[in-house]
Amino acid sequence: MSDRETIEFDKLVRDNVPELIRQSGDTPETHVADDSEYRQRLREKLIEEATEFRETGATEELADVLAVVGAICRTDDIDREEVERLGREKTHERGGFEERIVLERVRK
């Protein structure tokens, strides 16, 4: 039995991460996701990166969110310009977030 520590991740990582781990002297265990798993893992990654941005506010984390959105668009054959157009339409119809409105409750 080895006395080496094992750290579990079970998450999608950027393409160069396994090599960076090897360069640090550690041994990554990986597999390549099939299409279905990849789509699911991208959605999980989107939540992970959005949560990290929420917690830190770091611009780098926001860049990670956009990288995942781009990967989702490419994988699901979604036109990113179409996504941006839909966002503009929604802003036109329902407004943006510039007025900082917080909805506390609705009484009926």
Side-chain angles (χ1 to χ4, degrees), residues 20-97:
L20 294 171
I21 291 170
R22 281 189 282 278
Q23 288 174 6
S24 75
D26 294 329
T27 305
E29 293 181 16
T30 65
H31 73 272
V32 176
D34 64 20
D35 290 348
S36 175
E37 180 185 9
Y38 182 55
R39 283 182 170 86
Q40 180 59 37
R41 296 285 184 155
L42 281 171
R43 284 158 179 75
E44 292 168 2
K45 193 69 170 179
L46 181 60
I47 299 303
E48 175 191 337
E49 298 299 353
T51 299
E52 289 176 4
F53 177 71
R54 181 188 68 202
E55 292 171 357
T56 68
T59 304
E60 180 179 324
E61 300 300 346
L62 190 56
D64 288 344
V65 169
L66 292 177
V68 175
V69 167
I72 291 170
C73 287
R74 287 186 298 279
T75 300
D76 290 350
D77 198 28
I78 298 169
D79 183 343
R80 192 162 178 169
E81 289 180 13
E82 173 72 0
V83 172
E84 292 172 5
R85 183 190 64 73
L86 290 169
R88 288 189 300 273
E89 280 182 14
K90 199 164 197 176
T91 297
H92 178 75
E93 293 168 9
R94 302 190 73 168
F97 299 97

